[in-house]
Amino acid sequence: MKLHHLYIASMLVTGALFATSCSDSFLDKNSLTESSTATFWQSEDDATMAMVACYDGLQSNQLYGGGPWDLGQLNLECLSDNGGHFNWSGWMEGFDIANGTHSAGSWAIGSYWDALYEVVKRCNSVIANIDRVPMSEAKIAQYKAEAVTIRALMYIHLTMTYNDVPYLTEPLTIDNAEMPATPRADIVSSEIANLKAAAPNLPTTADRGRITRGACYALLGRLALYNKMWDEAISAYQEVMKLGYTLAADYGKLFTPAGEKESEIIFAVRFEGPGLDEGTQFNAHWNTPLEAMNGTLNLADDYYRLDGKPATEHDYAAKKDNGSLNVDQPNFDYWVGRDPRLYATLFVPGMYWNGRGGAEAPYGGAAASLSTIYVMKYFDPTDTGNSWDNGQDFYVVRYPEVLISLAEALVEKGGYNESTVLGLVNQLRQRVGMPKVEDVEGTGLSKDQLLKVIKHERRVELAFEGLRLYDEYRWHQLKEAIDAVNNERITYGLAYETRVYNGERDYKWPIPTDEIDSNPQLKQHEGW
C-alpha cells in the first residue's frame, strides 16, 4: 500500500503507541511503550503503520504543515533577513524570536521542541521494536533506516536551534526519563555515523514522500556542512550526485502541485487535499499570495538583473524624503528584467494576481499589508480557494541544495578546483537563464569572493525553504541580518518590526521552561 494512503489510518496507531501528545513534556515519566508493545508489532501492517506515524509527525503545524501563524519552516524564514510578519505584529508564533525578546517560556520555544521530540519518540519506537516483526530482513533494515534518517532530520533542527539537548536514541521509560543535555558535537558525530550505516539499506527510488538513499546522504551532507565537517559533507554530497537527480526545466512550476514529481525533489513532506483533512496550511492566504508572510526588500534586491549584475537601487528613499511615499505606486521599472527566481519566490509590484495588477491593483487588490512584497513560492494562483486545506508538498531537500552545498564545502576545505566549483553554481544559474559566473564575476576568484558568490546563489535559489535562519547561525551573520532588516525600516519608512540583537546568546535558543522544571538533570544554557 502506498505510504500516503496510510496517513489517516496511522493516526489510530499513533494514539495507541504514542499516548503522550506532542504538547506534553517529552520527559514525562509515564511509560510511552509498555501498554501497547505487547500487543502491537505482530505483523508487517503494524510495522508499516508505525513507520507512517513517523512521517505523519512531520506534518505538524510546528514543522512542515503549519498555517501562517504557526512556527513551521516558512516562519523560520521570517526570523531571518528573508522575511517577516510586518502587518501581524505579535500574533505570529516566533515573532518574539525575530525581535530578540524571546525567553525560555516563549510559545515557539516550547512548541518547536515538543514537535521535534514527538517525531524522535516515534522513530525510536520503530528502531527499538521493528526487529520483532515477522517480515524480511531487508524490509526490517529499510524501515529502521527510514526511521534513523527522519530522526536525524529532527536532530539537525534541535542542534541548530537549542544546540546541546537530551539525546534520545531509545524509547523512554521510568528509568531513563530524566537525562542531561548531550553536547551538540557528540550528537552530530553519532548521527553522522547512524546515517552512514543507514544509507546502504535504503532504496534509490521509492514512493514520493518516503526516505531514499539520496535523502539520507543529502541530510548527512547538511548535518556535516552545518557543523563544518567539510570532508564528510563533500563525501555525502558526491554520493547523492551519483544517483541520477536532475534539475527541473521550470523553476516556477516546481512549487506548485504540477511540480511535485520533478526529479530534483529528493525528499518532501507529502500532503493530500482538499477535503481529506490531510492538507497543509503553510501556504494559506487571504487576498494575495501568502499575505501573512512578507519578503524583505533586502531579499528582493539580491535577485540580479538578467545580465547577472546587481539591480539598481529602487526609489523608496527618494519618495520618503519628498513626502510622497506611496507603497501602492512603486517604481515598476525596478522590478522588470530580473532573475526569474524572483517572480517564483516573491510577489512584487507589477505582478498580477488572478488577472489583476498594474495600476488597477498593484498588489493584487490586497489592502491589509504594510509591506510591498509577499511570499510567492508555494502559492498556486490557479487554486485560490483551497489554501487552508492544500495538497502542496513541502520540499525538505532539493538537488540544488546538494550542488550549492557541495560547492561551499569544497571551497571551505581548500585545495579546490575553481572550474569544478563554478560548474556547480552555474548549473543553478543556467537553469533559469542567468549568465555563468565566469561571464560576470570572472575567474581567478579568491576564496572569499567564491564564498560570496555561493552564499548569494544559495539565498536566491533556496529562499523560503526553511534554511536561511540556520545559514545565518552557522555563518555567524545574525547581527548583519538584523541590521539589514532594521535599516529597511529606517531608510524606507516601512512598517517592519524593530529587531534586537542580544549578542552571542541569540545563536542558541533556551531550553523550554517546562523541560527545565520537569527534569532536574537538564540545565539552562548560559546566558538564559
Side-chain angles (χ1 to χ4, degrees):
M1 186 179 294
K2 291 186 180 295
L3 194 67
H4 68 275
H5 291 159
L6 289 168
Y7 273 171
I8 298 176
S10 75
M11 297 311 296
L12 299 175
V13 178
T14 301
L17 282 177
F18 313 111
T20 301
S21 74
C22 63
S23 62
D24 294 335
S25 169
F26 85 98
L27 294 178
D28 190 334
K29 292 185 178 182
N30 294 326
S31 171
L32 304 179
T33 59
E34 290 176 0
S35 63
S36 59
T37 54
T39 56
F40 200 72
W41 306 108
Q42 301 296 310
S43 68
E44 186 170 328
D45 283 346
D46 289 347
T48 301
M49 289 289 190
M51 188 69 250
V52 170
C54 298
Y55 287 97
D56 184 84
L58 299 177
Q59 294 181 324
S60 164
N61 285 357
Q62 305 304 322
L63 298 180
Y64 295 99
W69 44 73
D70 301 301
L71 187 59
Q73 296 308 295
L74 278 178
N75 271 349
L76 279 182
E77 297 273 323
C78 294
L79 309 185
S80 76
D81 58 1
N82 276 358
H85 290 302
F86 310 134
N87 58 318
W88 281 85
S89 299
W91 285 42
M92 300 303 182
E93 187 176 5
F95 184 84
D96 53 352
I97 301 176
N99 289 357
T101 59
H102 55 300
S103 70
S106 290
W107 176 20
I109 296 299
S111 62
Y112 198 51
W113 173 286
D114 287 343
L116 292 167
Y117 272 112
E118 175 66 22
V119 179
V120 169
K121 178 177 67 177
R122 297 182 186 191
C123 291
N124 284 341
S125 184
V126 170
I127 295 166
N129 292 290
I130 195 71
D131 288 325
R132 299 166 47 190
V133 179
M135 60 185 189
S136 71
E137 291 184 6
K139 186 162 287 189
I140 287 174
Q142 178 185 335
Y143 278 30
K144 190 178 293 186
E146 289 180 71
V148 164
T149 305
I150 295 172
R151 185 182 67 184
L153 175 60
M154 299 300 97
Y155 278 118
I156 289 174
H157 291 306
L158 284 162
T159 55
M160 286 303 296
T161 49
Y162 307 95
N163 279 241
D164 302 341
V165 296
Y167 185 37
L168 310 183
T169 58
E170 58 186 24
L172 286 174
T173 66
I174 292 177
D175 294 331
N176 66 0
E178 295 179 356
M179 57 169 44
T182 298
R184 167 175 165 167
D186 293 346
I187 297 173
V188 169
S189 295
S190 179
E191 286 301 292
I192 284 179
N194 291 337
L195 289 170
K196 286 181 177 179
N201 296 317
L202 290 163
T204 56
T205 60
D207 291 339
R208 283 193 300 126
R210 291 196 76 163
I211 293 290
T212 60
R213 190 174 303 172
C216 183
Y217 277 125
L219 291 174
L220 196 166
R222 183 187 290 182
L223 182 58
L225 185 81
Y226 283 1
N227 290 277
K228 304 184 187 300
M229 302 168 72
W230 311 126
D231 286 324
E232 295 283 12
I234 291 168
S235 176
Y237 288 133
Q238 288 175 337
E239 289 295 330
V240 179
M241 293 183 69
K242 298 175 184 178
L243 297 174
Y245 294 101
T246 57
L247 297 179
D250 187 341
Y251 183 88
K253 177 184 173 183
L254 262 176
F255 302 95
T256 68
E260 291 177 343
K261 295 182 181 180
E262 293 288 353
S263 172
E264 73 174 63
I265 301 166
I266 297 176
F267 177 56
V269 175
R270 294 211 57 194
F271 293 94
E272 293 291 323
L276 300 176
D277 200 27
E278 282 294 313
T280 179
Q281 298 179 6
F282 67 75
N283 54 359
H285 61 277
W286 288 273
N287 294 327
T288 59
L290 296 189
E291 180 183 17
M293 297 180 186
N294 299 98
T296 62
L297 290 171
N298 176 268
L299 171 60
D301 287 346
D302 247 2
Y303 289 89
Y304 292 157
R305 299 194 313 251
L306 289 173
D307 61 4
K309 301 292 181 63
T312 56
E313 187 174 350
H314 40 67
D315 60 356
Y316 282 86
K319 288 184 176 181
K320 179 177 182 293
D321 290 342
N322 65 24
S324 62
L325 176 65
N326 181 348
V327 296
D328 286 338
Q329 295 294 331
N331 178 5
F332 284 177
D333 291 342
Y334 173 71
W335 304 103
V336 176
R338 302 279 287 278
D339 183 331
R341 289 172 292 188
L342 169 64
Y343 312 115
T345 305
L346 298 174
F347 187 74
V348 299
M351 290 176 63
Y352 281 68
W353 182 79
N354 272 1
R356 301 168 62 191
E360 174 192 355
Y363 300 100
S369 177
L370 299 178
S371 174
T372 62
I373 299 169
Y374 301 123
V375 180
M376 183 70 172
K377 187 174 280 188
Y378 285 125
F379 172 75
D380 182 3
T382 67
D383 183 15
T384 60
N386 297 309
S387 70
W388 294 89
D389 183 17
N390 195 282
Q392 173 68 53
D393 296 348
F394 191 100
Y395 306 147
V396 180
V397 186
R398 290 192 297 119
Y399 189 49
E401 180 194 344
V402 171
L403 298 176
I404 200 67
S405 297
L406 176 56
E408 180 181 346
L410 287 169
V411 173
E412 288 285 14
K413 178 187 176 183
Y416 53 86
N417 180 289
E418 184 184 67
S419 63
T420 298
V421 172
L422 297 185
L424 294 167
V425 179
N426 287 336
Q427 288 188 58
L428 307 189
R429 288 193 175 188
Q430 292 187 285
R431 184 256 290 273
V432 293
M434 294 295 288
K436 295 180 180 179
V437 177
E438 298 94 315
D439 297 336
V440 182
E441 289 90 348
T443 58
L445 303 178
S446 68
K447 176 179 179 178
D448 287 345
Q449 288 172 324
L450 274 176
L451 286 175
K452 182 178 179 181
V453 168
I454 290 167
K455 289 179 180 181
H456 169 270
E457 198 66 25
R458 183 179 180 90
R459 186 183 194 190
V460 298
E461 175 71 32
L462 301 173
F464 288 98
E465 297 183 43
L467 303 178
R468 181 63 178 178
L469 182 67
Y470 295 167
D471 286 342
E472 291 173 359
Y473 286 172
R474 69 190 181 87
W475 293 332
H476 216 75
Q477 293 180 353
L478 185 59
K479 184 180 186 303
E480 291 86 342
I482 289 172
D483 288 346
V485 174
N486 286 336
N487 181 64
E488 287 184 23
R489 177 181 56 82
I490 296 169
T491 302
Y492 304 125
L494 299 175
Y496 293 12
E497 72 272 17
T498 300
R499 298 192 181 185
V500 176
Y501 176 63
N502 300 293
E504 290 300 308
R505 80 161 203 177
D506 281 354
Y507 286 97
K508 183 182 295 186
W509 291 12
I511 303 295
T513 298
D514 288 348
E515 303 302 330
I516 296 291
D517 291 345
S518 64
N519 179 8
Q521 294 196 51
L522 192 56
K523 307 302 179 185
Q524 187 56 271
H525 296 320
E526 184 177 353
W528 290 98

